[in-house]
Structures are given as structure tokens and as C-alpha cells.
């Protein structure tokens, strides 16, 4: 298993444990915890899409190294736009669901959902920074 595979493998359980802990804290403080869980699940889904995109790009680069039929730049842009539209769509739907509340409550709920989304990204970045590459000795 490569370093990247290990990192992507560890993102899900670590994010799940953090999400459970934070959700319990939100429940105990009587906050709206559903928005946080939706944000975490959205973050995990977009992370999975990013992993799928990366595997597809690597596979197609091996099949077509000269990029005669496959354009990796176009593919990366399309996958990014798909993930962006997914995040924007979910956040808009959450905003519509919470629009009956006061404006400050709406902003707080959206920030909680954004915090859940960002939790997965922070875990991913921390794992990238802490799991070091093995250095190969060329002797």
C-alpha cells in the first residue's frame, strides 16, 4: 500500500471518530447537530470523489502517456466542477431548509455545516503533513 493510499484510507475512520465526538458535544450543548453531520458526510463524499478522480487520472495516464486522446487538465477541471456543484447544491438546500429561522440562526447553521465539511479536509491535510515519505537510499 502506497503512502497516498494509506492517507486516503485513514481519512475516513479518523473523520468519523472526530464527527462522533463533536456530534456528542453538540447534542449535549443542545445545538443543531444534524447540520454538522451533513457537512461531514458531504466532506467524506467529496473526498471519495477526489480519490476516484486521482485513480482515474493515474490509470489513463498509464494507458495514454502522450495524451493523444485523453486530456488530464480537462478531466481535472470537470471533476473539480462536479465536486464544487455538489457542495454548492447541498449548502443551498441546507440554506433553504433553515430559511424559516432568523438570519443569525441561519448563518450559524450554515457555519456548522461548513465546519463539518472542513473537518474532513483538515484531517486530510494533517495526515498529508504527518505521514512522511520513505526516503530511498541509492547506495
Amino acid at each position: 500500500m502506497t503512502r497516498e493510499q494509506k492517507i486516503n484510507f485513514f481519512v475516513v475512520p479518523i473523520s468519523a471518530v472526530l464527527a462522533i465526538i463533536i456530534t456528542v458535544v453538540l447534542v449535549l450543548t443542545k445545538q443543531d447537530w444534524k447540520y454538522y453531520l451533513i457537512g461531514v458526510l458531504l466532506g467524506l463524499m467529496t473526498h471519495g470523489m477526489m480519490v476516484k478522480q486521482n485513480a482515474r487520472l493515474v490509470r489513463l495516464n498509464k494507458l495514454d502517456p502522450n495524451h493523444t486522446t485523453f486530456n488530464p487538465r480537462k478531466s481535472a477541471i470537470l471533476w473539480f466542477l462536479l465536486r464544487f456543484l455538489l457542495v454548492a447544491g447541498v449548502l443551498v438546500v441546507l440554506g433553504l431548509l433553515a430559511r424559516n429561522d432568523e438570519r443569525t440562526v441561519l448563518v450559524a447553521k450554515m457555519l456548522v455545516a461548513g465546519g463539518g465539511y472542513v473537518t474532513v479536509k483538515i484531517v486530510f491535510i494533517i495526515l498529508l503533513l504527518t505521514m512522511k515519505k520513505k526516503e530511498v537510499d541509492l547506495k
Side-chain angles (χ1 to χ4, degrees), residues 50-63:
M50 183 187 69
V51 170
K52 179 71 176 167
Q53 169 204 355
N54 186 29
R56 182 176 185 272
L57 284 175
V58 168
R59 180 175 46 89
L60 290 174
N61 267 337
K62 286 180 183 175
L63 292 175

Side-chain angles (χ1 to χ4, degrees), residues 21-131:
I21 292 169
I22 294 172
T23 302
V24 168
V25 169
L26 288 173
V27 168
L28 292 176
T29 59
K30 297 184 174 147
Q31 301 295 321
D32 203 358
W33 53 273
K34 295 173 196 160
Y35 288 88
Y36 180 78
L37 279 183
I38 291 171
V40 170
L41 292 175
L42 179 64
L44 288 173
M45 186 168 42
T46 57
H47 181 74
M49 290 173 68
M50 183 187 69
V51 170
K52 179 71 176 167
Q53 169 204 355
N54 186 29
R56 182 176 185 272
L57 284 175
V58 168
R59 180 175 46 89
L60 290 174
N61 267 337
K62 286 180 183 175
L63 292 175
D64 186 14
N66 295 329
H67 308 300
T68 55
T69 59
F70 171 68
N71 187 348
R73 183 172 186 253
K74 238 187 236 184
S75 179
I77 290 171
L78 288 174
W79 276 92
F80 174 77
L81 287 175
L82 179 65
R83 290 192 317 263
F84 178 77
L85 286 175
L86 179 69
V87 171
V90 169
L91 291 178
V92 164
V93 168
L94 285 177
L96 291 174
L97 289 174
R99 74 176 171 179
N100 293 339
D101 299 332
E102 300 172 18
R103 180 169 290 283
T104 56
V105 174
L106 172 66
V107 171
K109 287 181 179 180
M110 298 306 291
L111 286 175
V112 168
Y117 178 75
V118 171
T119 300
V120 177
K121 301 305 175 190
I122 290 173
V123 167
F124 180 63
I125 290 171
I126 289 172
L127 285 173
L128 279 175
L129 293 175
T130 57
M131 294 182 83

